[in-house]
Amino acid sequence: MLKKNFLIGLTAISFFALGNSAHAALRILACEPEWGSLAQELGGKLVEVTVATSALQDPHQIQAKPSLIARVRNADLVVCTGAELEIGWLPVLLQQSGNAKVQTGQPGNFAAADYVHKLEVPTQLDRSQGDVHAAGNPHIQTDPRNIALVATALGARLQQIDSGNASQYAQNLASFSQRWQQAMTRWKTMAAPLRDVPVVSRHKAYVYLYDWLGLKEVAVLEPKPGVEPTASHLQEVVASLKSTHARMTLYSAYQDPKPSEWLSKNGGIPAVRLPFTVGGSDAAKDLFGLFDDTLAQLLAGAKTK
Amino acid sequence: MKFSIVYGLGIAIGLTLSPLTQAASDTPTSTGSAPVSDNAFNPAMSLILSGGYTHTSLDPVNYHIAGFDLPPDAEAGPGSRGFSLAESELGISANIDPWLRGTANISLAPDNSVSVEEAFIQTTSLGYGLSVKAGRFFSGIGYLNSQHSHTWDFVDNPLAYQAMLGTQYADDGIQLNLLAPTDQFIQLGIELGRGRSFPGTDSSRNGAGSTAFILHTGGDVGDSNSWRAGISALNAKATDQTFESVDTSDKKVTNTFTGSTHVWIADGIWKWAPNGNATRTNFKLQGEYLRSKRDGDFTYNTSSTDAYSVTQSGWYLQGIYQFMPRWRVGLRTERLDSGSPDYGNNQANVVISTDQAHKHTIMLDYSPSEFSRVRLQFAKDYARGDAADNQMFLQYQMSLGAHGAHSY
């Protein structure tokens, strides 16, 4: 028994020793690829970024798997969307990580949605309305103006956490913001033909994009948020589109293309696959590529008819 | 043992003081300016509603697992026939302060009795991969033991859990979890408890009636696969543990056991989803092997006491496949080995079963949303040994209130 205790003690001590060893780079775990990309832009060589999910995964439905628990355990900063997007898995990761730095309310816990004005904040909370998010629509990364707001806040957070390198983070943020503003001006000009174009969404994933570009959402393929499209609801959508015409149906890279393709065939409305986040298409290699490709797809889709 | 726990707590208390000093002013402020009522701090509440219909070819009243002695209050078997309400579970949780979180799961049984299934406090800010839990909680041994019944993939727990852990081992005590600072998930758990439930018993002893050691590791294989595997050991003490049994002439007798039980568990789970996106299709393969060794004194019909020892084992293997959104199908196969018990002088008195319990189960479930599920399950249960009990279950499980996050 004594021997057993000694062994456990030894294991515990070696864990502590490893945990205390100094690491050069600030370790960031991003819940979604867009924040991983942003953290990399703002941190440069000072940070080591890992991303918990990929563009081919549904960020609402991620498993709190062992590899993610281990990554949260070792992170100095966790950068997530917030607004309840990760409610089904992030709380378990935080609880099981035993990492005090990244708990909610600590500087090591960054929720991007805290820094933008959220749309579709429900006035009534009831699950009969589907998987609604009490804090509003969480898919904020589809509007580059939100990316700019989050960048400013994340830049400040990096300076706070890794104060020794504050000036470098400030420089990175200034450089990124300048390039981002230029890109936004370019995108705005490119996107002019998209204003008031009526579209159908697969999921309510693009309200911020519509708000930015002035696209008009005339129907949604999901009968309620988070509920897979049903045959009867798709028929209703086709019927409603006879009176209100739509130019294209938008779906995200991680989603099943079938319902959108069905509508394309039966309603004659082209289906357009958007990257949704960094890595969602070959061209969406970083945040700039994400919006370049999103606009290219939208413009191509709007031209088809 | 006592020394190391006190030492651990000393570290724990020392560490809790540091995060406060780190907390700075950068946390965003709420934009809402509505007056905050006392109710705004109400904890997260959830309620699980469950019930169904059960059809069995053999009367559940006579349910037993061949070769395994179970206390009369053990939860084994298919439950009652016909329509019935299953356990309704009320869950309440919230942060207590910047350092602790509290959780309670109150079980409302269909016979109108209320029990505290879990009630524990848990540290949130020790850091160093360390967390401490105290109170009543499901032990972290194995894979299924800590899972609440509404997250099970079948209506019932495997026979090995029913026979060797009283379906699920929950205890009053303290748990220490340590997560290694490596990219590979390595978690070490140590538990000290009262030993209040089978295979232990409640008693008036000082000190710990149960100890458990748990080691789990896991990771990913590419984007599409993830896994976890581990080994656990539980040691529980029993004092005058009572079993209802029959003698060689089928007369009812009451036997007791005083001694210790070691249960070793090897568990493994493998999950697959194309590109890690489990929304459309996914597959889960899960298996556990349990080995139980009981040593102590056995009293036959409250009169004749002698030394007793037995080593028993059992395993299950199950696969769950979501073949399209909302629909899953599952298969489970399992078998027990009741071993060769040594009852000493009592060997001639007791009936020793040579039958080996086994069971095959198939289930189909449909989840209209992530908050609701209905399930149809068929099982051919040879737990009694010789005759098959053909079981059919139709079950619903619903979750109301706070959006619970599920562990792996």
Side-chain angles (χ1 to χ4, degrees):
Chain A
M1 202 57 178
L2 203 71
K3 211 171 180 182
K4 216 188 224 169
N5 283 343
F6 175 70
L7 265 176
I8 292 161
L10 206 67
T11 324
I13 289 164
S14 56
F15 276 1
F16 282 121
L18 274 164
N20 282 334
S21 64
H23 282 271
L26 190 76
R27 283 176 300 188
I28 300 176
L29 176 67
C31 283
E32 290 86 23
E34 64 271 18
W35 309 131
S37 190
L38 184 61
Q40 195 62 65
E41 292 274 2
L42 301 180
K45 283 180 185 152
L46 299 172
V47 298
E48 190 188 295
V49 180
T50 48
V51 183
T53 62
S54 86
L56 298 178
Q57 297 169 358
D58 182 347
H60 304 85
Q61 294 180 36
I62 299 296
Q63 296 261 344
K65 54 186 186 175
S67 62
L68 293 182
I69 298 171
R71 284 195 243 169
V72 175
R73 151 74 176 92
N74 299 320
D76 298 306
L77 173 64
V78 169
V79 182
C80 294
T81 299
E84 297 180 358
L85 178 65
E86 301 97 348
I87 196 166
W89 49 285
L90 187 61
V92 173
L93 297 182
L94 294 178
Q95 178 59 55
Q96 296 199 3
S97 72
N99 182 349
K101 285 185 284 192
V102 299
Q103 300 298 320
T104 312
Q106 294 293 325
N109 185 305
F110 182 90
D114 287 347
Y115 301 93
V116 305
H117 174 72
K118 283 176 287 299
L119 302 175
E120 292 186 340
V121 179
T123 50
Q124 189 198 354
L125 279 179
D126 191 315
R127 292 248 165 82
S128 67
Q129 299 309 305
D131 197 6
V132 289
H133 298 276
N137 190 307
H139 306 296
I140 58 166
Q141 85 284 4
T142 58
D143 181 346
R145 296 172 300 182
N146 284 343
I147 301 285
L149 291 170
V150 174
T152 309
L154 184 57
R157 189 65 69 89
L158 287 168
Q159 293 175 42
Q160 180 195 351
I161 291 177
D162 189 7
S163 50
N165 292 310
S167 60
Q168 183 61 52
Y169 290 118
Q171 212 175 311
N172 293 349
L173 174 62
S175 151
F176 174 78
S177 297
Q178 194 201 351
R179 285 179 291 134
W180 196 252
Q181 290 302 331
Q182 285 167 357
M184 281 208 292
T185 316
R186 178 162 55 84
W187 291 327
K188 196 83 199 173
T189 322
M190 273 170 72
L194 294 171
R195 181 149 293 277
D196 294 327
V197 166
V199 295
V200 177
S201 320
R202 161 68 202 274
H203 172 67
K204 280 206 158 272
Y206 292 103
V207 282
Y208 296 93
L209 178 80
Y210 302 159
D211 184 56
W212 173 49
L213 296 178
L215 290 162
K216 294 270 173 285
E217 183 179 76
V218 293
V220 183
L221 297 190
E222 286 181 356
K224 304 272 181 198
V227 178
E228 287 286 314
T230 57
S232 62
H233 182 72
L234 288 178
Q235 295 287 1
E236 279 168 33
V237 171
V238 170
S240 79
L241 290 177
K242 287 198 171 110
S243 52
T244 344
H245 183 67
R247 293 267 279 283
M248 53 190 149
T249 301
L250 307 179
Y251 70 100
S252 305
Y254 71 84
Q255 286 168 328
D256 186 356
K258 278 183 211 124
S260 313
E261 284 166 358
W262 182 90
L263 188 67
S264 169
K265 209 181 282 169
N266 293 279
I269 298 159
V272 174
R273 175 176 148 135
L274 296 183
F276 186 60
T277 181
V278 174
S281 68
D282 290 342
K285 283 191 177 61
D286 58 13
L287 284 167
F288 294 92
L290 169 64
F291 286 96
D292 283 338
D293 191 45
T294 300
L295 285 184
Q297 301 298 333
L298 287 173
L299 289 165
K303 239 183 245 169
T304 343
K305 256 199 168 174
Chain B
M1 179 54 72
K2 258 181 200 150
F3 170 76
S4 55
I5 287 300
V6 171
Y7 176 68
L9 276 179
I11 296 174
I13 292 159
L15 290 173
T16 44
L17 299 175
S18 57
L20 235 206
T21 49
Q22 291 172 16
S25 57
D26 197 43
T27 42
T29 48
S30 168
T31 45
S33 57
V36 174
S37 75
D38 287 348
N39 284 334
F41 284 101
N42 272 351
M45 306 250 285
S46 70
L47 179 68
I48 307 294
L49 294 180
S50 179
Y53 178 82
T54 303
H55 178 99
T56 63
S57 61
L58 299 180
D59 194 342
V61 168
N62 304 317
Y63 194 86
H64 62 274
I65 300 174
F68 286 82
D69 287 327
L70 288 174
D73 59 343
E75 282 180 41
S80 58
R81 282 167 155 175
F83 288 101
S84 65
L85 186 67
E87 171 195 277
S88 310
E89 190 185 297
L90 183 66
I92 301 169
S93 68
N95 287 327
I96 295 165
D97 58 23
W99 309 284
L100 291 168
R101 184 168 178 79
T103 304
N105 289 306
I106 311 296
S107 167
L108 312 166
D111 63 1
N112 296 334
S113 66
V114 176
S115 62
V116 179
E117 193 166 60
E118 288 191 294
F120 60 84
I121 56 164
Q122 199 170 14
T123 61
T124 55
S125 56
L126 293 186
Y128 303 96
L130 200 63
S131 66
V132 178
K133 209 187 239 190
R136 176 174 299 178
F137 50 86
F138 287 127
S139 167
I141 54 173
Y143 176 76
L144 272 179
N145 193 71
S146 57
Q147 311 255 349
H148 283 255
S149 56
H150 71 270
T151 65
W152 296 352
D153 292 321
F154 293 89
V155 172
D156 43 9
N157 239 1
L159 291 177
Y161 268 78
Q162 298 184 19
M164 286 178 264
L165 293 171
T167 294
Q168 249 181 317
Y169 186 71
D171 207 357
D172 298 355
I174 182 160
Q175 179 192 61
L176 187 122
N177 258 312
L178 201 54
L179 195 60
T182 50
D183 285 341
Q184 173 81 14
F185 171 86
I186 302 169
Q187 190 178 41
L188 179 73
I190 301 163
E191 294 170 4
L192 286 179
R194 226 187 130 70
R196 58 180 273 275
S197 65
F198 185 82
T201 58
D202 217 339
S203 80
S204 60
R205 66 177 86 84
N206 281 314
S210 78
T211 50
F213 297 92
I214 306 140
L215 185 67
H216 277 119
T217 182
D220 293 343
V221 178
D223 283 341
S224 303
N225 301 285
S226 64
W227 61 278
R228 197 190 84 163
I231 45 169
S232 328
L234 169 73
N235 177 27
K237 290 178 196 161
T239 309
D240 295 330
Q241 190 166 60
T242 310
F243 310 106
E244 302 291 343
S245 192
V246 286
D247 66 5
T248 45
S249 54
D250 241 16
K251 257 194 5 229
K252 275 207 166 161
V253 290
T254 304
N255 304 329
T256 57
F257 167 74
T258 298
S260 70
T261 309
H262 289 273
V263 182
W264 291 272
I265 308 175
D267 66 278
I269 179 158
W270 184 281
K271 293 188 184 183
W272 169 87
N275 297 311
N277 185 0
T279 318
R280 265 174 281 163
T281 56
N282 63 74
F283 179 71
K284 183 157 77 163
L285 184 69
Q286 174 187 331
E288 290 184 75
Y289 171 79
L290 284 79
R291 187 178 185 82
S292 163
K293 191 170 184 303
R294 310 202 88 185
D295 276 299
D297 288 324
F298 187 86
T299 305
Y300 172 72
N301 209 13
T302 63
S303 55
S304 147
T305 304
D306 199 22
Y308 163 70
S309 79
V310 66
T311 303
Q312 304 177 307
S313 63
W315 57 265
Y316 74 88
L317 184 69
Q318 67 182 53
I320 307 288
Y321 179 50
Q322 178 174 314
F323 53 96
M324 60 185 281
R326 305 172 181 198
W327 290 92
R328 305 192 312 162
V329 62
L331 276 172
R332 178 176 67 189
T333 184
E334 51 191 319
R335 182 170 275 275
L336 300 181
D337 179 354
S338 56
S340 318
D342 179 2
Y343 288 94
N345 290 335
N346 287 318
Q347 199 81 5
N349 298 327
V350 294
V351 185
I352 298 168
S353 168
T354 50
D355 293 321
Q356 305 300 337
H358 57 285
K359 186 176 168 184
H360 307 291
T361 313
I362 183 165
M363 80 86 194
L364 176 75
D365 67 23
Y366 170 69
S367 307
S369 74
E370 61 179 301
F371 306 103
S372 56
R373 173 167 286 163
V374 286
R375 173 178 292 141
L376 180 65
Q377 177 173 320
F378 295 98
K380 230 175 170 52
D381 186 354
Y382 293 90
R384 292 168 172 88
D386 43 3
D389 183 18
N390 294 309
Q391 305 167 344
M392 190 276 285
F393 304 90
L394 191 60
Q395 182 198 35
Y396 67 84
Q397 280 176 324
M398 310 284 148
S399 146
L400 290 71
H403 193 309
H406 284 160
S407 46
Y408 183 70

